Structure formats: C-alpha cells, structure tokens
Amino acid sequence: HVHVESTDLPCSSSHRIGQKKLNRIKRCAGLLTASAVAYVLFADASINRYGRLFDTTPSRLRRRMDYDNIVKTEFTDEPSHIRMCRHLMPRFDYVAESEDLLRKAYSMGIKRESIEDFTPEDLAEMGIVEEGEEGTTLPFRPPDMDDLLIVEEDEEVCVDDVGPHFDLLQIFSSHLLSIASRKFGLNVEYRHNCHQWRRPDEDPVTKPVTIQEMLHSSLLIDSEDGSSIEEIPIELLAIRNVCGGCLQEVEETGIAKRNCALFTRPTVYNPLTAKKAKNVAKRAAGMSGTSTSSATISYSKATGFMLKPRMKTTINNPSHQSQLPIGFVAIIPSIRRNLARVSDLFDQGLTAFYGGEAERANTLASRVGQPEGLTSIIPEDYKLGEQGAYSTLTDDDAVVYLACKKEQCEEEEMGVSFAVPYFTYLLHIPRHVSRISVIADKDCVDHMVGCREHGQALTTFLAKHYPRATVSFIEEASTFAGYSRMNLADYLVCPPGISCFIPALVSGVAKSTLVANPNIVPWLSQIGEAELKNVTLLDMAKTFVAPVDNMDYGSFLNKLPPHEEKDCRFLRGRMGKWKQDMFSALEFQYPSSIRHYVGEADLRFIPTAETPYRVATTYRWEEDLFSQCGLETINRDAMCQLMKDLGMSRIFIVGDSLGMNMAQSLWKLMGHEDNPTEFGVRNPNWDRAVQCDPDDEEDYFVLSFARSDQLIENNLPVDVEQGIKNCYAYCYPWSERYTTYDDDTIFIMNTGPHYQTHHQFQAVFDEFVRKVDSFQRPRDIVLWRTSVPGHPHCDDPNSQKPFDSFQEYVATEITDDYSWDKFVGYNDYANKALDTRRRQDRVLVNLNGAPAPVLKPPGSLMSVSDEKNGIPTPRRTRIELLDVYPMTVQRPDGHVSSGECEDCPGITDRDCLHYFLPGPPDWWNHLLYSHLLELTLKENQMQG
C-alpha cells in the first residue's frame, strides 16, 4: 500500500452513522487532479474573479456603512498593511482627538455622543475656537473621511507559489487593520482580490493554484459566519500605536516588515491603571462609586482613555481582564474561518471527483483487514451499527509536510530542509489512522538535494510500520492543495520549519506535532496555551534534526536516542517477528502446570530429547527496528522491585476469560507452584498475595482478578458455576473491589470479544473512562489491553507455527465469525481515545525551547519531597494502551484447538480463540512488565 505519485492520491472521508447525517468529520489527503482543481477554482460562485469590491453575500447580511463613494486606492511599492496604515492614521488621529474632546466635555457635564453633536453653546463653554484663531480647535477631519477606501493586495504576494506562510501573514496583517477600521467606522477596508491576477485561460496545473487566490475576497468580513468582528479584541489607540510603529519602522529603516501589525505587542494591561481609569470615568459621568446608574463611560484597558459612552453592564471587573494579545492571536478566529472555507472547497472538489459522499465513505471497504466481499460500510438500518472491521469514527488521515525551513528554497539563507528520526512519526501518528500522506513541497523537491529522497524513504518506512494504512508520497506544487491537506488532516507532523505553523494553530481538526524552534519561528513565545491546545511542541534542544542533503538514512533516521527510551512503551510490539529460542525456552516454562483446561496440554506433555518443551512455548518476540525497545521478560524479583519503584501494591485485572488467562499466566510467571484458585472450584474472582521476601511477611503485592465479560455492573444474580448470566455473559461487580482498596493499584482492563457492534463497544469504553475518572484515583496506573481475535484455521496442521508478518496473517485469517474482524476496529477506537487523552495530559515544553516546570504525570509516585518542591498531585488517572494485538495475531499456533491435546478433558467445543498456557498470553505479561519498567524510568528522569 505504498503509492509514489504526484497527482493521483487515494482518499476517503468518514461519517457519523446514526448520529447525524453523512457529514464529513475528517478530511483526506487525496486526489488533486486537473479536474478536481478546476472544480474548486471555477465552480464556487462566491469567488469574485473580476476584481469586484464586494462578494455575493446577500445585501441583507452586509454591514450598513456610512460612506459617499467607494475609492479604489493605488498600488505602491509598500506592503498592503503599510498602505492601510497610511490611510488609517489621519482617521485614527481624528477619532482619538475627538474622544479626548468628548472626555473633556464629560468632565464639564456636557454629554454628547459625538463632536458633531456639540452646539455653539457647548463649544463656547469648552473654549473651542474656529480654525485660524488662537486656542483649541475642533480636530481636523480628513477630507476623504466620508469615502470608503479600498486597499488591494500586491500581485507579487498574490501569485507567489513558494512562500505561502509569509503571504498569509501579509494578507491577514491587512485584514486585522480592516477589522479595526470596520469596528471603529474609519471607512478603510482591505480586499485582497488575489484572483484578479489569474487569467481565465491559465491552466491550474501548469500554473499551480495558490492559497492566496482561493481566499474569499473580503476574507469573510461581510459574510454571515465571519461578521462577528466584536470577538476580535482590538482597541482604537492600541491599533493606532501599532500602525504608528510600523510607519516609524519604515521611515527609519526603509524596510517594511510584512508582519509588524501581527507580532507587535500593542499594550500591556495594568489592572491598577485600569481600575483608576474606571473611577475617573465614573466621576466624569457623574456617578459615585456605588451608583447603580445604567450609563457609564468605557475606558481603554491599555491607556486609561475613555472612548465613548457604554452601558454599565458591559464593564467587566478590570482585575479579571488580561493584556491585549498580539495581532496574530487576535486574528486567529478569522484565519481559522477562512482556511476552513478554502479547505472545504478543496474537499468538495475531491468529493465531486469521487462521485459523492457515499462513494468516498465506502473506500473503507477496501482497507487492509476488511473481510472479503464487503461492498459498503453504510448499513441499511443504522440500528445494526457500522458494518465491517473499522468504524468511521477512526477513519483518520495523517499528513507529514516536508519543506524548506523558511520556504523559498532557492534563496541561500532559506535553502535547507530538515529531517527528524523515524520514531518521531511513530510516536505522534496514532496507529489507527487509515491514510498517511507524505507531502513534499514542489519547491523543496526542485531546489533542495535530498528532499525527494527523504520523502520517499519516509514513505517506505511508514508503509511498513502502518500496515493497515494507505501511505502515499506526493510532490505538491499547489499551495492551495498543500495548505488544504494540512488543514483537513486529523494529525499533522512536520520537521522544523515554518510551513506547518499556521495550519497547526488554526485547524479545528488536526492534532499537530511541531518542533518549537524560536530561531525559525521567533513569535512562537507570544502564543498562548489556548491557541496551542491541539499542538504538541517538541523541545528543540532534545529533538534530533539534520539537513536532508547528504543524509545517511540508515544511521540517522532509524535511531532511537537514549534519552527517548522512555517512549519505547508506545513503540514496542508493533512490528517484529516470533523467533524460536531453544536456549531460553526453559525460562518460558512454568514451575508446574496450571490446573485449568488451558493448562491441560502442558500437564500431559511428555518431553523428549528432540522436543524438550511444547513447541508453542519456545518462541520469543523480537523487535524489527528499535533494538533498545526489546521485551524484558518478567520474574518475581524483578516485578517486586518494579512495584516498589512505582509505589504500587496491587495489580488488578478485570475482563473476560482471556483476561483470566492473563491473570493466571502472571501468577505462574511469579514462580508459584499452585493455582491462583482452588483446584476444581470455578471461582472467577480472587485475590492472592505475591510474596517478595520470604523472610518478611509484609513484603508482598496483591494480584487480583474479577470476571466481567462486558464491564457492565448491575444488581442481577450471576454465577459462572451455575451458568447464571447477568449480561451477555458473566459480569461480576468490580468497582467496589477497585475503589475500596486504599493503596495504589495497577489496573488492567479489557472487553471486546463479547460485543458484536462498534457502537456497543464504543459506548462501554467511553463509560469505563468516565467511571475511572469519577473514582478520583490519580495515582493509579490504568492499562487498557487490546482485544485479540482468534485464528479460524488454528486446527490446520500447517498453522502450527507463527506468521512471519502481519501481512501473512491478513492474507489468511480475517473472518467475521464471532465479530473477530471488528476487534481491530475496537482497538483503534481505544487507541484514538487514549492518544487524545495523552495529548491532553502531556506537559508542554516552554515555548522558548526550555523545559516547562516539572509536573508529575498522572499515575506517578508522589513523595514528601515532591510536595515540598511544589509538584502538584496528578489531575487524573493515567490510562494507557497495552497493545498485545500486533504480536498475538501472528500466533496461529498454540490455540486450545490446535490439535496439540485433542483428548484433553474440559475441551468440548472448537476453540481457536484461547491459548494453552504456557503460551502467547505469557508475552502479554512480558509486555506489561516492559511497559511499566519505562514508567519508572520516566519517573527517575523527572526526579533527576
């Protein structure tokens, strides 16, 4: 499923079946062809191609503006936002001086809405003289104040197809000033009108479409969903100061920075100054400090200046207000709306190419892991739930965008493109995604040695490590398509550079991973946490990067730096092989056989010189890529030390019969001769002590198991031995046993095999997470074990050895019997939910590249010294994924019905789901031990 191409891309979208009509909830990195681009470029009626001043928004939605004439201003050599400032400054001065005069009038008891309302008597009382006389005169009113001035964007910015980041900053700098003008009635507005520079006969393939020309002409300032300019925190004097600073910079240096309007901090809010200004305003309005009059005066938080009368109810408590944000932060809502609209146009073109929504949705039917013959994932009756192996709720896209660090690769200073090691992508692109698009900017490919090779190597790597996803390599010439793909992606990961920052900050969908390099993005430190809620910033000091030219792909991209080994728990078990290891096979055996039907094969096994151990017990899992992430095998001494290091005193496993097998395996791996339960008694709930030091009866931890096939709790009777079921199977209560235990617990949960539809599993998983959070046990560690399907051909003599790869498993073993095909979809849903939770819980690095203040992660050990150092208690319980699925599906051997013990008692039905013990479930516990071991590593590193 590797596609190396430059034009045709596989694509699909997903839908919330039964919850809402077929609305897209994610976007694709798909198919940019001449026909698709032509559709979006020419079919959208709201794009004005002929340079008209206003869009096609119905007149009832347009702002009523007070002007006499519309005047289209001339182009100069200066950027559009500088031209905006030159037109605005005289109007700013007039309005500001008018406000000062109104303030003086209020202090004298003369209350007027504007200076035009002053009577001759008012002017005389205030000492206002006519122009030409000595004394205070009325502010000078610009002669074109009643004209609406339109400023358009330069052709150079509009047609630029290699620097979209800076082009968008230029456009939205001017848009910010246009919003300010609209807000204060200054009649200077910005229309980029970039589409006027494209001739009707120009081919969108030979002349790639830019993101600039696809933006709405008015940037939605007149549209219904973009007209809420009140949400933009702007003050007249602050914007005037910004414009004044920009113009002064031009006068002094001769250089007009494109982004001076966006990244100049206009003011710093001092609560005391504002409080004083509020009292002055009240006194000027004739109000006492306790007056309940509805009329009062508004004030500028930044300067203390009063602006105009306002209702008292609109004045907020100054102590609760914050400083004005930089212009970029203020304008983010507008950027988000505009890029979302552009992305929707791109998506509509792809949908039209595919022939409609349903056709795009049903591309899931061909995904790796689907049963053969599935033609539609959209059921006739929504109550039946989604069909097939995958849920549309996890049909997600990931985009990797490769470009030069500051775009414009031809320029010597900009001409470098960086790479990060492969493990970065494995950590930040969840394993459930359906599609991954590696997009190489055409400018990078054409002018940077190694850019194409980097993209192709990365594509090959990702295709191997995401075997269920379609992975494509795209050389993208259109910035319209490139930005749309980034904005529509569910996950966005980028090496160091500027290209991804705007899509990452404004996308309402994507969870993005970027490198926080203040040298490349100097304004990053001015962005607040609210704007970064969906962005993971990698610490530049701890992230290995290297230029792509002359790169040794084998050594750099494949390595796992030592300081990142704590993340092996998110990489381990995903890609590897089972290899027979007769030298270590002895340590894989139990001291004695488990007295249960899954132990019958071991009990009856007769060793020989040629076969000293059951063959299914002689295999070891070995990682394919990261040798540092190999599995550590568990034993009692190691587990006892681990529990002490973690500060845990109990392991509590809850689940169905497979969960019981995991608990039985763990008990035997601790070296016990006996069973965890009394032989012959079907007791599905037990607590046993694992004695660590035989000479110290207090040195132990507890191993507990509770049988709950569906995690449902109710008051109905249940008894396994008597066959009394209280759910689909047997659901013993477990919450009370969990919450009444006082000490910290490692809590391992699973359900899935007893659910037949996606929506049933999703509901019970969500309820489980809510329930765990409601218990308020933040120091516990909760692991959700993934579900493993059976192998329908487990009794085939040719199936009595492990598969060499996941692809070999998929080729023969996918079946919808017992809904086994859906287990991978259940696991994807849990993986996506827990990945989102982990991103929410992650401590972000300081935006300047330094580590953030140390915060204990959820599930960490809290010591007295921690409390003294001010480290807070974790906010909520750590819940992570224990993914046993990839390694287990490669084990068709060792099942109860493998033919190894055909006459064993207790085996009456064909069973290709459960394994004999010892067997593959032992490696679930080795994986558990290795996972927990890295949590202690993480804790030790943090404490160090």
Side-chain angles (χ1 to χ4, degrees):
H1 285 264
V2 181
H3 300 277
V4 179
E5 49 200 316
S6 59
T7 55
D8 296 330
L9 301 165
C11 166
S12 72
S13 67
S14 69
H15 313 269
R16 291 185 177 272
I17 304 297
Q19 300 180 32
K20 57 178 71 174
K21 63 181 181 179
L22 299 179
N23 291 330
R24 289 184 299 277
I25 60 170
K26 68 195 63 58
R27 315 297 183 177
C28 72
L31 198 63
L32 177 62
T33 64
S35 59
V37 174
Y39 173 87
V40 250
L41 186 60
F42 303 117
D44 180 35
S46 65
I47 295 181
N48 187 330
R49 291 182 39 77
Y50 301 104
R52 291 174 58 192
L53 297 179
F54 295 101
D55 56 55
T56 59
T57 305
S59 59
R60 62 183 175 81
L61 297 178
R62 295 181 193 159
R63 175 179 72 94
R64 292 190 177 185
M65 296 186 291
D66 185 15
Y67 57 84
D68 295 333
N69 302 297
I70 298 176
V71 178
K72 188 175 178 180
T73 61
E74 296 182 357
F75 292 100
T76 67
D77 293 334
E78 295 179 325
S80 59
H81 75 280
I82 296 296
R83 288 184 278 126
M84 286 283 294
C85 283
R86 292 201 184 280
H87 292 301
L88 282 171
M89 282 303 289
R91 302 179 185 220
F92 278 143
D93 291 339
Y94 172 72
V95 172
E97 292 173 13
S98 298
E99 295 291 353
D100 287 343
L101 200 58
L102 284 173
R103 180 183 59 179
K104 178 180 178 181
Y106 266 86
S107 67
M108 300 173 63
I110 302 172
K111 301 176 182 180
R112 299 288 182 263
E113 292 291 328
S114 69
I115 63 174
E116 285 80 8
D117 295 333
F118 286 148
T119 65
E121 292 77 13
D122 295 337
L123 297 177
E125 183 177 351
M126 297 169 60
I128 303 296
V129 299
E130 294 185 3
E131 189 172 349
E133 299 181 11
E134 291 188 4
T136 303
T137 62
L138 287 173
F140 172 75
R141 193 173 192 275
D144 59 357
M145 190 77 176
D146 292 328
D147 292 336
L148 176 62
L149 305 185
I150 299 297
V151 176
E152 294 183 310
E153 193 49 74
D154 301 320
E155 180 181 9
E156 179 185 2
V157 172
C158 290
V159 303
D160 177 28
D161 59 0
V162 296
H165 175 85
F166 293 108
D167 296 330
L168 289 176
L169 292 184
Q170 167 63 74
I171 288 172
F172 283 100
S173 291
S174 299
H175 182 50
L176 176 69
L177 298 175
S178 187
I179 290 176
S181 174
R182 171 73 65 90
K183 193 169 185 177
F184 301 115
L186 302 182
N187 287 347
V188 179
E189 300 209 355
Y190 173 73
R191 297 289 186 273
H192 69 85
N193 286 336
C194 280
H195 36 264
Q196 68 180 306
W197 303 110
R198 176 178 288 276
R199 298 193 310 272
D201 60 341
E202 286 181 321
D203 186 343
V205 174
T206 56
K207 183 181 180 181
V209 182
T210 67
I211 181 71
Q212 304 92 279
E213 63 185 303
M214 294 305 297
L215 293 169
H216 197 278
S217 176
S218 71
L219 297 172
L220 301 180
I221 197 171
D222 287 311
S223 66
E224 187 173 17
D225 63 345
S227 59
S228 181
I229 62 175
E230 292 300 321
E231 69 179 350
I232 308 298
I234 296 175
E235 293 180 359
L236 184 143
L237 294 179
I239 294 296
R240 179 193 183 202
N241 291 341
V242 168
C243 261
C246 289
L247 294 177
Q248 183 178 358
E249 182 179 66
V250 172
E251 299 298 331
E252 293 179 356
T253 66
I255 301 174
K257 290 185 179 180
R258 288 183 173 181
N259 59 10
C260 72
L262 291 185
F263 300 109
T264 300
R265 175 78 65 184
T267 53
V268 176
Y269 166 49
N270 184 327
L272 294 180
T273 302
K275 183 176 181 180
K276 180 178 179 181
K278 181 178 179 179
N279 292 333
V280 170
K282 283 186 175 183
R283 287 195 299 270
M287 300 168 54
S288 66
T290 58
S291 172
T292 58
S293 170
S294 62
T296 187
I297 306 299
S298 68
Y299 58 92
S300 165
K301 297 192 294 289
T303 62
F305 291 165
M306 294 171 289
L307 301 179
K308 59 183 179 180
R310 190 182 293 175
M311 298 300 292
K312 180 184 177 184
T313 54
T314 64
I315 294 185
N316 297 320
N317 186 338
S319 64
H320 294 164
Q321 296 173 347
S322 59
Q323 64 184 23
L324 287 174
I326 60 172
F328 180 77
V329 173
I331 202 69
I332 278 180
S334 182
I335 302 177
R336 180 176 293 120
R337 278 193 298 270
N338 279 277
L339 292 192
R341 176 186 175 278
V342 170
S343 302
D344 282 341
L345 292 175
F346 180 78
D347 206 33
Q348 289 167 19
L350 298 175
T351 301
F353 181 88
Y354 273 94
E357 293 279 2
E359 284 71 15
R360 290 184 68 181
N362 283 328
T363 58
L364 259 188
S366 61
R367 186 179 177 189
V368 173
Q370 289 282 21
E372 291 185 8
L374 182 68
T375 59
S376 176
I377 61 166
I378 304 176
E380 294 286 336
D381 183 351
Y382 291 161
K383 294 181 180 179
L384 295 177
E386 298 179 79
Q387 304 302 299
Y390 300 102
S391 168
T392 53
L393 297 185
T394 56
D395 182 27
D396 289 340
D397 299 275
V399 165
V400 177
Y401 198 81
L402 308 177
C404 292
K405 68 174 183 179
K406 290 190 176 181
E407 303 176 332
Q408 302 174 0
C409 300
E410 274 194 293
E411 296 187 18
E412 183 176 353
E413 180 186 354
M414 314 291 188
V416 60
S417 179
F418 289 116
V420 294
Y422 286 148
F423 75 87
T424 304
Y425 299 100
L426 297 183
L427 290 175
H428 297 283
I429 300 177
R431 61 195 74 182
H432 75 270
V433 296
S434 299
R435 290 159 301 277
I436 304 175
S437 296
V438 179
I439 303 175
D441 177 65
K442 194 66 165 57
D443 186 45
C444 181
V445 171
D446 290 344
H447 299 102
M448 179 55 52
V449 174
C451 186
R452 175 184 284 117
E453 291 75 11
H454 174 213
Q456 292 173 337
L458 179 57
T459 302
T460 302
F461 172 86
L462 294 175
K464 177 182 178 182
H465 287 80
Y466 292 84
R468 296 183 291 111
T470 298
V471 182
S472 302
F473 175 63
I474 309 156
E475 296 179 6
E476 186 53 76
S478 167
T479 59
F480 160 52
Y483 263 67
S484 295
R485 288 187 174 116
M486 286 192 282
N487 203 49
L488 293 170
D490 298 284
Y491 300 91
L492 174 64
V493 183
C494 302
I498 62 173
S499 296
C500 298
F501 271 90
I502 291 178
L505 291 172
V506 305
S507 173
V509 179
K511 298 175 179 63
S512 305
T513 301
L514 311 172
V515 178
N517 187 342
N519 296 322
I520 296 177
V521 189
W523 45 264
L524 189 57
S525 61
Q526 301 184 63
I527 305 298
E529 288 187 9
E531 289 72 38
L532 292 167
K533 62 181 180 180
N534 287 329
V535 181
T536 298
L537 293 173
L538 303 181
D539 188 346
M540 184 66 181
K542 296 181 180 179
T543 303
F544 280 66
V545 298
V548 299
D549 53 329
N550 300 317
M551 171 171 288
D552 182 350
Y553 293 107
S555 62
F556 176 77
L557 294 178
N558 288 323
K559 72 179 182 178
L560 181 68
H563 69 267
E564 291 293 346
E565 286 186 11
K566 63 183 180 293
D567 289 322
C568 272
R569 67 187 192 276
F570 303 116
L571 306 174
R572 186 183 291 108
R574 293 178 59 171
M575 190 63 58
K577 293 181 179 179
W578 292 98
K579 294 187 177 180
Q580 195 167 41
D581 183 1
M582 298 303 295
F583 180 80
S584 303
L586 176 60
E587 70 177 86
F588 302 157
Q589 311 304 311
Y590 295 165
S592 63
S593 301
I594 187 86
R595 298 308 302 271
H596 186 269
Y597 79 89
V598 296
E600 291 296 325
D602 193 59
L603 185 65
R604 286 164 171 71
F605 176 73
I606 300 175
T608 66
E610 293 78 15
T611 311
Y613 315 107
R614 290 175 45 243
V615 175
T617 69
T618 61
Y619 294 97
R620 173 192 293 275
W621 175 263
E622 292 191 1
E623 295 290 321
D624 265 0
L625 181 61
F626 302 119
S627 59
Q628 301 98 317
C629 293
L631 278 178
E632 299 286 342
T633 54
I634 194 173
N635 59 60
R636 185 192 303 222
D637 290 342
M639 194 66 194
C640 286
Q641 185 60 51
L642 176 64
M643 295 294 284
K644 294 173 184 175
D645 291 343
L646 288 172
M648 301 289 158
S649 61
R650 178 178 64 159
I651 299 175
F652 188 21
I653 300 175
V654 177
D656 59 9
S657 54
L658 286 173
M660 178 179 65
N661 295 157
M662 182 180 181
Q664 292 169 327
S665 165
L666 184 55
W667 176 257
K668 299 302 288 187
L669 289 173
M670 293 296 97
H672 294 106
E673 295 278 353
D674 63 338
N675 265 25
T677 59
E678 183 181 351
F679 177 63
V681 177
R682 300 185 67 185
N683 181 7
N685 304 282
W686 45 269
D687 301 280
R688 294 296 303 271
V690 177
Q691 195 68 41
C692 293
D693 184 348
D695 298 324
D696 183 358
E697 62 180 14
E698 298 297 325
D699 188 3
Y700 69 92
F701 68 87
V702 176
L703 176 58
S704 303
F705 174 73
R707 175 73 179 266
S708 183
D709 294 336
Q710 294 184 295
L711 301 187
I712 293 172
E713 294 188 283
N714 55 44
N715 296 322
L716 300 175
V718 55
D719 193 305
V720 168
E721 196 149 17
Q722 298 183 39
I724 301 174
K725 301 180 179 181
N726 65 337
C727 58
Y728 178 80
Y730 303 100
C731 293
Y732 285 84
W734 54 269
S735 293
E736 186 175 359
R737 286 182 64 192
Y738 175 50
T739 57
T740 56
Y741 188 82
D742 292 334
D743 295 330
D744 297 338
T745 295
I746 297 171
F747 191 25
I748 304 167
M749 302 288 287
N750 170 264
T751 190
H754 293 274
Y755 285 100
Q756 310 303 311
T757 66
H758 290 287
H759 71 269
Q760 289 175 329
F761 173 82
Q762 292 162 5
V764 77
F765 178 86
D766 292 342
E767 176 59 27
F768 164 74
V769 172
R770 284 191 293 268
K771 184 175 289 189
V772 167
D773 284 337
S774 71
F775 294 151
Q776 297 184 353
R777 292 176 62 97
R779 292 156 56 95
D780 288 353
I781 298 173
V782 178
L783 298 176
W784 181 273
R785 177 180 61 78
T786 52
S787 297
V788 293
H791 296 81
H793 306 104
C794 77
D795 51 358
D796 185 339
N798 296 322
S799 295
Q800 302 314 307
K801 63 177 183 179
F803 291 130
D804 288 334
S805 66
F806 177 79
Q807 287 77 7
E808 188 178 351
Y809 157 74
V810 170
T812 61
E813 298 296 319
I814 298 297
T815 177
D816 58 0
D817 291 347
Y818 313 106
S819 292
W820 284 351
D821 61 316
K822 292 184 174 67
F823 288 9
V824 66
Y826 299 168
N827 296 336
D828 280 353
Y829 186 83
N831 175 66
K832 178 177 181 178
L834 297 184
D835 175 82
T836 300
R837 184 183 179 94
R838 180 166 66 99
R839 292 171 190 268
Q840 293 169 348
D841 289 339
R842 181 182 292 118
V843 179
L844 296 177
V845 299
N846 182 277
L847 299 186
N848 289 318
V854 176
L855 296 176
K856 282 286 184 176
S860 59
L861 177 63
M862 190 63 58
S863 66
V864 174
S865 61
D866 290 333
E867 295 173 357
K868 289 181 179 179
N869 290 330
I871 299 176
T873 300
R875 183 166 56 92
R876 60 183 180 182
T877 307
R878 182 205 304 270
I879 308 178
E880 292 184 350
L881 198 72
L882 185 68
D883 193 2
V884 303
Y885 173 87
M887 63 165 61
T888 310
V889 295
Q890 291 180 221
R891 291 300 302 270
D893 60 313
H895 283 287
V896 168
S897 290
S898 63
E900 188 176 357
C901 189
E902 295 180 353
D903 299 327
C904 288
I907 304 174
T908 59
D909 298 319
R910 185 173 183 269
D911 187 349
C912 285
L913 178 64
H914 299 88
Y915 289 94
F916 282 125
L917 295 178
D922 296 329
W923 291 87
W924 302 354
N925 286 309
H926 297 318
L927 184 67
L928 167 68
Y929 172 69
S930 302
H931 189 106
L932 295 173
L933 195 61
E934 280 163 16
L935 293 183
T936 64
L937 173 64
K938 189 177 183 70
E939 303 309 321
N940 291 336
Q941 287 181 338
M942 293 184 69
Q943 291 174 5

